[in-house]
Amino acid sequence: MSDSVQIQVADSHLYPGCAVHIAHLPEPAREAEAIVEFADGSGAHATCHRRTFDELELTVDGYATRRRHPVDARQWLLLAVDSTHNSWRVKRRLP
């Protein structure tokens, strides 16, 4: 999976307002596999695709935090917070 997108989250789970770092984005209108690394050392598989230039849709598979708290699979909308598109914030959970 060397071609997967690496996503680093500033907490043990995603929520609105949570900071996210993405070094290399997928091509627009193309879905990409991703590895999500949470701050507590846990991780999850995911898929992502860019909706618009500044919006990213992220679907994270279910996982367990480092303290073994189960987190269900969820879908999130992220917004870019800088012009380099390396820093993002979770805007909201998608249905």
Side-chain angles (χ1 to χ4, degrees):
M1 257 194 220
S2 60
D3 60 342
S4 63
V5 176
Q6 298 294 314
I7 299 173
Q8 296 165 333
V9 179
D11 207 333
S12 62
H13 60 283
L14 292 164
Y15 53 86
C18 181
V20 176
H21 178 78
I22 305 171
H24 302 285
L25 291 172
E27 295 288 327
R30 181 176 169 260
E31 190 171 274
E33 290 185 26
I35 300 296
V36 181
E37 299 171 353
F38 295 95
D40 68 349
S42 60
H45 291 278
T47 57
C48 62
H49 77 272
R50 291 173 79 171
R51 285 179 151 191
T52 66
F53 187 66
D54 290 332
E55 290 185 331
L56 184 75
E57 190 173 308
L58 179 65
T59 303
V60 181
D61 293 347
Y63 69 100
T65 65
R66 182 65 122 202
R67 293 187 174 186
R68 299 180 193 207
H69 175 78
V71 179
D72 293 332
R74 295 197 173 122
Q75 196 169 14
W76 301 93
L77 179 63
L78 281 62
L79 295 177
V81 295
D82 67 5
S83 61
T84 65
H85 289 87
N86 288 332
S87 296
W88 297 75
R89 290 242 181 244
V90 176
K91 179 175 182 181
R92 66 183 165 91
R93 187 174 160 193
L94 297 171

